[in-house]
Amino acid sequence: MFASSSEDYYSKMRKSAIAKATTGQKELLRNLGDVPERKKSLRVLQRNKQYLPNKGDIFTLSPRPDAYLFGQVLEYPISLDKKDYFFYKRILVVIFDSLHLNHGIDEWEKVNTKNLLTPPLIVGKTCWEEGVFQTIGNRTAPSTCSLGVGFGIEDRQGFVDVFGEPIAFVPQFVGLRALTTPAGVSYEVERAFILNPSLLKTKQGQFPVWGTTDYFAQREREENGYDVSEAKDGTEPFLLHEMGDRFVLTLHVEDLTDYLKEKGTGDDLSLNGYDIESCAERFIIEHSEYSQDFLFDSEADSFCVASNDVNGLKRLAKGVLGVLNAGSV
């Protein structure tokens, strides 16, 4: 019944799926495997650096604009032994195969929890910390046995559960007992869509498959949906983007440095994204007429702030730029 090892079984199962693919699908899969930043196909929903997993947690992820998948935590922790490095405080999750236009807990009731989009995945808290998973509630998790979940493991016949213990059945959904990164999650999601494009169909129409011309055109519209030329009118080198129902103002530190050198101002400034954010926060406090609806999410190499108030973001950009030009940060 089994191959020489259950890991071989997993590999043969994957190869069998590819063998049934069209020439175009095979080409897309090859290209997908070569993309180092494939995690970008998953939108950032809400970063949560304090996330504490609970068995049964329901989470969403967004592979397309305003479209969501649901997943659930089946087991946590897989191991509490620090010596068991790869599984220490790791999380077993499953992602279901229906795409939804809403991601509230009420929508969860419509999910068919018998069908998985990807193999069962072992992940870390980075999926929540980076914001590609967002927990929305908690419900009783099905057992891995009832769901038909199992894992291949190197040099072993048969299959094991997530804890490495042998199981007596051939699982319907077979994963590898190994850590999957956020980039790996994105890869598995896009791989499933490439092999079965009908999963991308919703009441609003068909979303494009990764790697196609339509997909890249959609990404470009999403990332630059707002008229950037208008945003640069008096706000350069900031960029303004429309992201769903919010607007996002960004500024890369390197772009700021080049801009200040070109203008001959602020040559003695050595700033990072957090410095610019502090400057923006101070500017908001000093100008009470400005909108307070600002959500900052800067990194060391870039400044980022989101708001529903697009004019407020424009005013903020001009105000902060004035301070930076004056070199009075």
Side-chain angles (χ1 to χ4, degrees):
M1 179 177 291
F2 301 114
S4 58
S5 76
S6 52
E7 186 172 8
D8 290 341
Y9 182 95
Y10 175 85
S11 298
K12 288 183 178 181
M13 181 184 64
R14 304 274 281 195
K15 290 177 181 177
S16 175
I18 294 175
K20 297 174 184 177
T22 66
T23 301
Q25 288 173 324
K26 291 176 182 178
E27 180 65 21
L28 290 176
L29 289 172
R30 282 193 293 270
N31 293 339
L32 178 65
D34 291 336
V35 175
E37 295 186 14
R38 53 181 175 259
K39 66 181 180 181
K40 288 187 176 179
S41 69
L42 294 180
R43 278 71 183 159
V44 175
L45 297 175
Q46 183 181 56
R47 290 187 172 92
N48 185 352
K49 297 188 181 298
Q50 284 75 47
Y51 174 64
L52 297 175
N54 289 289
K55 184 174 179 177
D57 279 354
I58 299 165
F59 60 89
T60 60
L61 56 159
S62 177
R64 297 293 183 272
D66 300 316
Y68 307 91
L69 296 165
F70 286 84
Q72 190 170 26
V73 174
L74 293 191
E75 294 288 352
Y76 172 82
I78 295 174
S79 174
L80 283 174
D81 185 352
K82 290 185 178 180
K83 294 180 181 179
D84 195 6
Y85 176 77
F86 286 106
F87 303 106
Y88 177 64
K89 290 189 176 181
R90 302 305 188 189
I91 308 156
L92 171 61
V93 303
V94 287
I95 298 171
F96 303 103
D97 71 352
S98 53
L99 197 62
H100 298 254
L101 301 178
N102 298 301
H103 64 300
I105 192 64
D106 292 342
E107 192 73 10
W108 162 256
E109 307 303 330
K110 304 176 184 178
V111 175
N112 184 346
T113 57
K114 298 296 184 182
N115 297 327
L116 302 189
L117 179 71
T118 73
L121 303 172
I122 297 172
V123 302
K125 291 194 291 184
T126 51
C127 287
W128 285 266
E129 291 171 347
E130 293 185 10
V132 296
F133 287 0
Q134 180 182 2
T135 298
I136 61 169
N138 187 283
R139 296 289 187 271
T140 301
S143 68
T144 54
C145 180
S146 66
L147 196 56
V149 165
F151 293 87
I153 189 168
E154 189 174 4
D155 298 329
R156 286 277 294 275
Q157 275 196 321
F159 298 91
V160 298
D161 63 18
V162 71
F163 302 105
E165 298 298 323
I167 57 178
F169 62 92
V170 178
Q172 180 181 357
F173 303 107
V174 183
L176 276 183
R177 193 169 176 265
L179 179 65
T180 301
T181 65
V185 174
S186 179
Y187 174 86
E188 293 293 346
V189 168
E190 296 305 334
R191 182 183 186 277
F193 287 149
I194 289 171
L195 290 172
N196 189 358
S198 66
L199 293 170
L200 285 165
K201 188 174 183 178
T202 70
K203 292 180 180 179
Q204 289 190 357
Q206 177 84 22
F207 283 100
V209 173
W210 183 94
T212 62
T213 301
D214 287 345
Y215 173 84
F216 290 120
Q218 183 184 74
R219 287 297 295 190
E220 185 175 355
R221 288 195 302 271
E222 183 182 0
E223 293 174 1
N224 302 291
Y226 193 78
D227 187 351
V228 175
S229 63
E230 179 183 350
K232 287 187 175 183
D233 183 15
T235 61
E236 189 180 5
F238 287 90
L239 290 178
L240 190 59
H241 315 272
E242 185 178 7
M243 304 291 283
D245 60 349
R246 297 179 74 82
F247 294 89
V248 181
L249 187 72
T250 62
L251 174 62
H252 288 282
V253 172
E254 289 185 0
D255 292 341
L256 172 63
T257 302
D258 293 341
Y259 174 83
L260 294 177
K261 285 182 179 178
E262 182 180 332
K263 297 294 183 181
T265 59
D267 290 338
D268 59 340
L269 292 179
S270 179
L271 302 173
N272 59 36
Y274 304 117
D275 296 326
I276 303 169
E277 180 174 311
S278 296
C279 176
E281 289 176 333
R282 189 169 69 247
F283 191 86
I284 292 171
I285 293 172
E286 293 173 354
H287 296 79
S288 59
E289 73 275 13
Y290 278 62
S291 168
Q292 298 301 305
D293 176 36
F294 292 119
L295 179 62
F296 291 96
D297 189 22
S298 302
E299 302 288 348
D301 61 350
S302 62
F303 165 80
C304 179
V305 59
S307 175
N308 290 320
D309 183 0
V310 63
N311 292 320
L313 287 174
K314 287 184 179 181
R315 294 193 299 269
L316 180 63
K318 292 178 181 179
V320 173
L321 194 59
V323 175
L324 297 175
N325 277 323
S328 57
V329 178

